[in-house]
Amino acid sequence: MRGLKGKRIVVAGGATGIGAATVERLVEEGASVVVGDINVAGAEATAKRASENGGVAIPAAFDLSDEGSIQALIDGAVSELGGVDGLFNVGADVSDANLGRDLDLLEMDLGVWERTLGVNLTGYALAAKAAIPHILEAGGGAIVNTSSGAGWSGARVRPAYSASKAGVNALTRHIATRWGKEGIRCNGLAPGLVMGETQIRQANKEMQAQALAAALSPRLGRTEDMAGIAAFLFSDDGEWINGQVWSICGGMHLRG
């Protein structure tokens, strides 16, 4: 891809899954990456793996639910890399203790609702808020937010998760509209069932079979699928794409 060599990108949620695969792809394409995650050991392992062939990947501890920690992540990236050209918001609280208790509205646990929106939506907004001044100072760049098909399709469960992702879509369009003329591109990725570490653990055979039946592809998603699209949106090849939320799902979200 054109234009990724030398780019300075923060991956906010890069310890595992889509985030980790994207770190590796970005470094492979020549970008320098700060790998932020609450899972510090995972961030360190991802950074080590990504930089084995001489690239730059720097692990950093951060908590997407804490404004000070988010600001410290961006400030640390500026200090380590000399600036920031891009931000990949990919973290979320999909733990069994949180997502597993996100039931229907009548069974709402307010703590789960607030935690989900606080991490999945407010955390993204705060990360973008911290990064945008530096991206503007760099002359422009890109933000990519991780959304979900749940942000626009109805679901019998997980209303907090769905609401947070619908909010991510609106946030994405706001950033693109407000700062697009100043050189900032902001787009979203809405994955289908992508078999990262968490999904392998959480998605039973029945769920996988349902997702595969709904897809137009003969397989489920791989983290590398998402990494390639994210890298494209950060690259110069994606320069004329702004304010879009792409459904990367093997056709799962296609409706007649």
Side-chain angles (χ1 to χ4, degrees), residues 20-106:
T22 302
V23 169
E24 293 187 51
R25 179 61 184 269
L26 290 171
V27 172
E28 180 185 323
E29 296 283 351
S32 298
V33 180
V34 167
V35 187
D37 210 287
I38 196 168
N39 175 3
V40 180
E44 290 173 344
T46 296
K48 181 179 179 181
R49 193 167 57 248
S51 58
E52 281 178 348
N53 293 320
V56 176
I58 302 167
F62 102 109
D63 182 347
L64 195 51
S65 70
D66 180 80
E67 183 175 8
S69 181
I70 294 167
Q71 186 66 55
L73 174 70
I74 302 300
D75 290 346
V78 172
S79 176
E80 291 280 357
L81 303 179
V84 171
D85 301 296
L87 167 69
F88 186 28
N89 275 321
V90 63
D93 189 341
V94 293
S95 64
D96 295 335
N98 191 65
L99 188 66
R101 296 191 295 128
D102 186 9
L103 305 173
D104 67 35
L105 206 58
L106 294 183

Side-chain angles (χ1 to χ4, degrees), residues 207-230:
M207 183 183 298
Q208 293 182 44
Q210 289 174 347
L212 189 58
L216 305 182
S217 172
R219 64 170 175 83
L220 296 174
R222 302 176 183 133
T223 57
E224 293 83 2
D225 297 323
M226 305 306 300
I229 302 299

Side-chain angles (χ1 to χ4, degrees), residues 44-188:
E44 290 173 344
T46 296
K48 181 179 179 181
R49 193 167 57 248
S51 58
E52 281 178 348
N53 293 320
V56 176
I58 302 167
F62 102 109
D63 182 347
L64 195 51
S65 70
D66 180 80
E67 183 175 8
S69 181
I70 294 167
Q71 186 66 55
L73 174 70
I74 302 300
D75 290 346
V78 172
S79 176
E80 291 280 357
L81 303 179
V84 171
D85 301 296
L87 167 69
F88 186 28
N89 275 321
V90 63
D93 189 341
V94 293
S95 64
D96 295 335
N98 191 65
L99 188 66
R101 296 191 295 128
D102 186 9
L103 305 173
D104 67 35
L105 206 58
L106 294 183
E107 298 184 72
M108 176 199 288
D109 181 316
L110 186 58
V112 169
W113 182 274
E114 292 176 340
R115 169 71 180 176
T116 301
L117 268 68
V119 174
N120 300 6
L121 177 56
T122 305
Y124 281 28
L126 290 172
K129 178 185 177 184
I132 284 169
H134 298 290
I135 298 175
L136 290 172
E137 186 177 339
I143 295 172
V144 179
N145 293 322
T146 306
S147 181
S148 167
W152 55 71
S153 62
R156 295 176 63 85
V157 294
R158 300 179 176 176
Y161 181 82
S162 296
S164 73
K165 294 304 184 179
V168 167
N169 296 346
L171 175 67
T172 297
R173 291 188 287 267
H174 163 69
I175 294 170
T177 303
R178 173 62 181 83
W179 288 282
K181 291 289 190 181
E182 296 173 64
I184 292 182
R185 311 187 308 277
C186 186
N187 294 289

